[in-house]
Amino acid sequence: LFAEYLANGPASVLILADTSGSTQAKIPQAREAITLVVNNLDPRDDVALFAFSSKPFNLQSFTREHSAIIERETVLHAYGSTSLFDSVHTATTTLQRGCYARRVLVVISDGIDNTSGKTVDEAVHDLKSGGVSAYAIAIGKLDAPTRNPGFFFGPDVDLDPELVNEKSLGLLTNPAGGSTFKVREIGDRDLLAAAVKSIMESSRGQYVVGFIDPWIDPALVTIQIKNHEEYLVTRPKTPPTASATAARAPSPAPLPSS
């Protein structure tokens, strides 16, 4: 049996950018956020870029050529309604095709969902079962309801560009081992940079617990960790080359007793 803290291992990172009509004024900052995330990646990371409005769009599949992501961010434009929870489901499924067991989702959005078929609870279930740590950057300062009534098309001119639903994004990210960072002022580059730095730092550290025994089929073994710290998130490492459970913490800490 072994236990190891991995401070800065590689990860598969998927950036999910909201391009619904309500984000028109926020697109330049979304592009800047994407660039900041890419520039803070480990060179070993593979990264993908999706945009979404009424449905998700794959702008760049997983690649270690990080500059390809920055090149694709130029096609972002705001139009249509918002299916945030449906798009998180697609992103979670896509992350299973990344190179690494450590999977990180970075959502850039105002958190306003008005057309998803899935609920926030279903999206959280997808994230947890897929072993995905989810983080979000919420841009805006006026509180919006969890789900706006009706359907919005075109440029969403009826929505205040300052609207943001930080609570909705928090309901997604917090149970999935991540957090949501609010950038209150559109165009606040310093706060945006600080948010991205926090995301990239906190998404890295994790414990890996497992065993090595050539005579035992790992599929028949379960390792159970008793979690005494609320900030630790435990999830199985998949695909299982050995039965293992990984716990991620924002900084090194004593391993919980089993």
Side-chain angles (χ1 to χ4, degrees):
L1 186 70
F2 66 88
E4 182 182 6
Y5 182 83
L6 303 178
N8 193 30
S12 294
V13 180
L14 192 148
I15 305 170
L16 183 63
D18 186 347
T19 57
S20 59
S22 62
T23 66
Q24 178 68 56
K26 304 169 185 177
I27 291 296
Q29 200 159 22
R31 292 191 181 111
E32 185 170 1
I34 293 168
T35 298
L36 287 169
V37 170
V38 170
N39 287 342
N40 280 275
L41 291 174
D42 184 293
R44 297 167 294 175
D45 291 346
D46 60 341
V47 57
L49 175 63
F50 274 62
F52 73 94
S53 51
S54 60
K55 62 181 181 179
F57 302 91
N58 184 350
L59 301 184
Q60 175 61 56
S61 298
F62 277 110
T63 179
R64 291 192 183 91
E65 296 293 333
H66 297 168
S67 60
I69 301 294
I70 296 176
E71 292 172 4
R72 294 297 292 162
E73 73 185 35
T74 59
V75 305
L76 297 181
H77 67 280
Y79 186 87
S81 53
T82 314
S83 293
L84 171 61
F85 305 142
D86 289 354
S87 299
V88 168
H89 168 75
T90 299
T92 303
T93 301
T94 303
L95 274 161
Q96 309 310 306
R97 299 196 289 269
C99 292
Y100 303 106
R102 183 178 301 175
R103 306 179 184 103
V104 178
L105 174 64
V106 181
V107 180
I108 305 166
S109 176
D110 57 19
I112 301 173
D113 187 309
N114 48 44
T115 56
S116 278
K118 283 187 170 288
T119 66
V120 63
D121 290 339
E122 289 173 324
V124 169
H125 178 269
D126 290 339
L127 291 166
K128 286 184 173 181
S129 61
V132 177
S133 298
Y135 298 83
I137 299 173
I139 303 174
K141 60 184 178 182
L142 299 179
D143 292 335
T146 300
R147 182 173 290 211
N148 286 344
F151 298 85
F152 299 96
F153 299 97
D156 285 0
V157 293
D158 294 329
L159 295 181
D160 190 317
E162 293 285 359
L163 282 175
V164 64
N165 194 332
E166 181 184 7
K167 179 180 179 181
S168 181
L169 290 168
L171 290 172
L172 270 176
T173 60
N174 296 351
S179 52
T180 293
F181 298 84
K182 188 174 183 178
V183 179
R184 294 184 58 85
E185 300 294 334
I186 297 175
D188 189 333
R189 303 183 70 180
D190 292 339
L191 191 55
L192 181 65
V196 171
K197 182 180 179 182
S198 295
I199 289 172
M200 302 313 292
E201 289 178 350
S202 62
S203 65
R204 290 298 167 173
Q206 72 173 179
Y207 287 107
V208 174
V209 180
F211 72 93
I212 300 174
D213 190 323
W215 304 105
I216 298 178
D217 182 356
L220 302 177
V221 178
T222 299
I223 296 176
Q224 185 177 33
I225 294 178
K226 188 176 293 184
N227 191 347
H228 295 294
E229 302 291 342
E230 291 185 358
Y231 64 81
L232 289 177
V233 177
T234 58
R235 60 173 63 91
K237 180 180 179 181
T238 54
T241 54
S243 178
T245 299
R248 189 194 53 74
S251 58
L255 188 67
S257 59
S258 56

